[in-house]
Amino acid sequence: MGVGIAEVAAAAGCDVVVRSRSEATADGLAALLERSLAKQVEREKRTAPEAAGILARVRTTAELEELRDCDLVIESVVEDLAVKRALFGELDRLTRREAILATNTSTLPVVELAMETSRPELVCGLHFFNPAPAMRLVEVVVPLTAAPDTIKAVLQFVEACGKEAVEVKDRAGFVVNALLFPYLNHAIRLLDDGVASMEGIDAAMTGGCGFPMGPFALLDLVGLDTSLAILESLHREGGDPATLPAPLLRRLVAAGRLGRKSGHGFYDYRH
């Protein structure tokens, strides 16, 4: 997600710093962006000069301090509240006092991240969807603590990126995931109950409902560990039985079958 968001911002003319945890992973992100842009040029979705301009506006680093002078910092680390809270505390200490701190969380409470800082009025959610360059929607999450000027500024940023912004309240799942993940969870239960095959369920939802991909292909794209974390967060906040993670999902995550990123999820991507 980080590379995709960086591409979107750089394409809008912003200078972007992408921070990763090590020099090796930072170099890997730079290479990933370069490959992605090269494919877009090959498919005539961008011109070569456009791709070169985007690359020139993005630099990668392993040092958090390199974010010191940014006007807007968008966090996109693992969906773990403790990890995100610790990071927001660090960002608060090292960034300029007027910088906006945003989270790309898909379901965690933004207000808890805001209260880890001395500037809760400057903290909000910017939930991009994967892949960020292709998906038009960004959920702008408004916690109780956010100042109107903060939301105005991030709405302008989203518009400059050519995306469609939807303002949402700071509640688990916001709009998209609050509706989407009970459906995905139910698909897993149908599979586990033997109602239809995995391929059959995917075909039913693409052919019968016109969805661009079936639930299992989508779960693999999102990541089964991320999907489990989202369901757990939804269930903690609302207690809806529809959001209690299906046992099969837990078993797959425990087995390290996390979807496309691990090469094996519901489907096998290793060949």
Side-chain angles (χ1 to χ4, degrees):
M1 281 300 296
V3 171
I5 295 170
E7 180 184 326
V8 167
C14 300
D15 292 322
V16 181
V17 182
V18 182
R19 185 261 178 175
S20 190
R21 287 174 292 180
S22 70
E23 290 291 346
T25 55
D27 290 344
L29 292 177
L32 181 62
L33 176 59
E34 190 169 359
R35 288 196 301 272
S36 172
L37 290 169
K39 286 181 182 178
Q40 292 175 49
V41 171
E42 184 180 329
R43 296 170 183 169
E44 299 184 343
K45 292 184 177 180
R46 294 192 192 276
T47 66
E50 285 173 342
I54 292 170
L55 275 175
R57 287 189 287 274
V58 178
R59 64 184 176 89
T60 59
T61 181
E63 303 299 327
L64 202 62
E65 289 75 14
E66 292 292 318
L67 306 179
R68 185 177 303 277
D69 295 324
C70 292
D71 297 313
L72 169 65
V73 178
I74 304 174
E75 164 274 317
S76 186
V77 300
V78 64
E79 280 288 278
D80 183 295
L81 185 58
V83 172
K84 290 181 185 288
R85 288 174 67 172
L87 178 57
F88 267 74
E90 289 185 77
L91 291 171
D92 184 52
R93 287 189 289 276
L94 68 88
T95 55
R96 297 183 301 110
R97 304 313 301 168
E98 62 270 29
I100 294 173
L101 306 180
T103 175
N104 187 54
T105 182
S106 53
T107 190
L108 295 173
V110 178
V111 69
E112 293 201 28
L113 304 180
M115 296 312 294
E116 286 295 317
T117 76
S118 61
R119 61 182 102 176
E121 73 282 0
L122 290 171
V123 177
C124 66
L126 278 176
H127 181 213
F128 287 78
F129 290 81
N130 191 30
M135 300 294 282
R136 287 193 52 80
L137 180 68
V138 178
E139 289 180 316
V140 175
V141 187
V142 185
L144 292 170
T145 48
D149 283 349
T150 298
I151 304 306
K152 180 180 178 181
V154 297
L155 286 170
Q156 289 172 344
F157 168 73
V158 171
E159 182 180 356
C161 290
K163 301 298 184 182
E164 181 178 355
V166 173
E167 286 188 56
V168 299
K169 292 176 68 173
D170 183 20
R171 55 162 292 170
F174 316 132
V175 171
V176 173
N177 285 341
L179 293 172
L180 175 63
F181 275 85
Y183 149 71
L184 295 176
N185 199 39
H186 191 53
I188 301 170
R189 293 184 185 280
L190 289 178
L191 175 65
D192 216 11
D193 289 344
V195 172
S197 69
M198 179 173 64
E199 294 82 1
I201 293 170
D202 272 1
M205 298 311 294
T206 55
C209 293
F211 288 9
M213 63 174 61
F216 299 105
L218 181 54
L219 283 158
D220 279 352
L221 178 64
V222 171
L224 303 193
D225 52 342
T226 300
S227 300
L228 177 59
I230 290 170
L231 283 165
E232 288 176 334
S233 181
L234 289 170
H235 192 68
R236 275 196 305 272
E237 181 158 318
D240 186 342
T243 60
L244 181 65
L248 176 57
L249 177 61
R250 292 191 185 278
R251 292 196 295 272
L252 289 170
V253 172
R257 291 175 53 170
L258 307 181
R260 286 183 175 272
K261 61 187 173 185
S262 70
H264 199 186
F266 283 99
Y267 291 102
D268 191 344
Y269 303 92
R270 296 171 295 182
H271 50 75

